Amino acid sequence: MNLHKQAVLSSIENINQSYFTLTVEDKEVAELSQAGLFCQIRPRSSSFPRLRKPISIYDVDGDHIRFMIKRIGAGTQGFAQLRSGDAID
């Protein structure tokens, strides 16, 4: 599937010091998604690297897609600093 969209974060939750989840709401993408598929995502902020990161879908619940991310380097730490309402591409 080749689908390019922008979405707004509906929530970000810290699981522990290493892991967190990002949740976006998008009916079209959710209908085409399932856990284990990858999305190439990046924050819309110009202060982040321009390259997208391949992140696996952790869960799909209705119109909500959730990604679980481990803080490893600058890119994933940048995702951890996002807030609800921030946009991702």
Side-chain angles (χ1 to χ4, degrees):
M1 152 180 53
N2 187 7
L3 182 65
H4 181 241
K5 296 203 64 168
Q6 294 179 18
V8 175
L9 290 176
S10 56
S11 70
I12 181 167
E13 297 178 40
N14 286 306
I15 297 171
N16 57 36
Q17 286 184 320
S18 297
Y19 291 91
F20 62 97
T21 61
L22 297 177
T23 303
V24 296
E25 184 175 358
D26 188 295
K27 181 178 181 176
E28 181 183 13
V29 175
E31 288 175 350
L32 300 170
S33 298
Q34 63 185 23
L37 293 179
F38 282 82
C39 291
Q40 298 276 353
I41 63 176
R42 70 177 175 95
R44 292 291 298 162
S45 170
S46 61
S47 63
F48 285 93
R50 299 184 70 80
L51 296 176
R52 292 177 177 83
K53 298 266 186 223
I55 305 291
S56 176
I57 296 172
Y58 172 68
D59 184 41
V60 179
D61 184 16
D63 294 345
H64 294 89
I65 303 112
R66 189 173 358 172
F67 302 93
M68 183 185 296
I69 302 171
K70 181 176 183 179
R71 291 175 182 90
I72 296 174
T76 53
Q77 185 60 39
F79 280 112
Q81 295 174 9
L82 295 174
R83 299 290 171 246
S84 294
D86 287 346
I88 62 171
D89 186 44

